[in-house]
Amino acid sequence: MESETTLERERAVEYVRVARSGQVPEGVVRRFFVDDLELAVSRFEGRVYVSANYCTHLACHLSAGKVTEDGLMCSCHGSIFDWDTGEPLSPPALKPIKVYPVLEENGEILVGGLEG
């Protein structure tokens, strides 16, 4: 079954708590830290997304950006990044941002893939 395979892959990644679910309401982007790593955590249509917090164009904070139906929009120059892949969907950014796997359970947002 596909869902079992996906669940097995999710559990193979080490996850750490980044925030409480209530800290990231629908349509909002917030900045959180895990050790020295700065993350942009957002929620769109009930799903939580986590990415690096810096735009690949001029290193603007993505946590100051906007949630759009297309993806996460940088507030500096309007680049939009795909929620799932981090690929830029509109210029001026040309390089993808790093995105991380996310689990939301028991009122907690957990992010994985931070090692290495």
Side-chain angles (χ1 to χ4, degrees):
M1 295 186 136
E2 172 123 14
S3 62
E4 290 176 358
T5 304
T6 301
L7 184 57
E8 288 170 2
R9 274 195 309 258
E10 288 176 347
R11 290 299 179 188
V13 173
E14 182 179 332
Y15 286 83
V16 297
R17 179 190 179 278
V18 69
R20 292 184 320 277
S21 294
Q23 291 178 282
V24 185
E26 180 68 27
V28 170
V29 187
R30 295 265 164 83
R31 178 174 65 167
F32 292 95
F33 291 88
V34 175
D35 297 323
D36 292 333
L37 183 62
E38 194 170 336
L39 302 170
V41 181
S42 50
R43 186 182 301 274
F44 176 68
E45 294 187 342
R47 185 170 165 203
V48 176
Y49 298 90
V50 177
S51 70
N53 193 35
Y54 293 98
C55 179
T56 55
H57 174 236
L58 288 177
C60 291
H61 285 109
L62 293 172
S63 57
K66 291 185 177 184
V67 170
T68 73
E69 65 182 38
D70 295 320
L72 180 56
M73 181 174 24
C74 180
S75 64
C76 289
H77 299 104
S79 290
I80 297 175
F81 297 92
D82 182 88
W83 291 119
D84 294 308
T85 67
E87 289 293 325
L89 302 175
S90 64
L94 300 174
K95 296 179 183 176
I97 57 172
K98 172 83 174 148
V99 294
Y100 298 93
V102 179
L103 292 175
E104 187 172 17
E105 55 189 26
N106 301 320
E108 302 286 333
I109 297 172
L110 309 169
V111 63
L114 299 179
E115 63 282 339

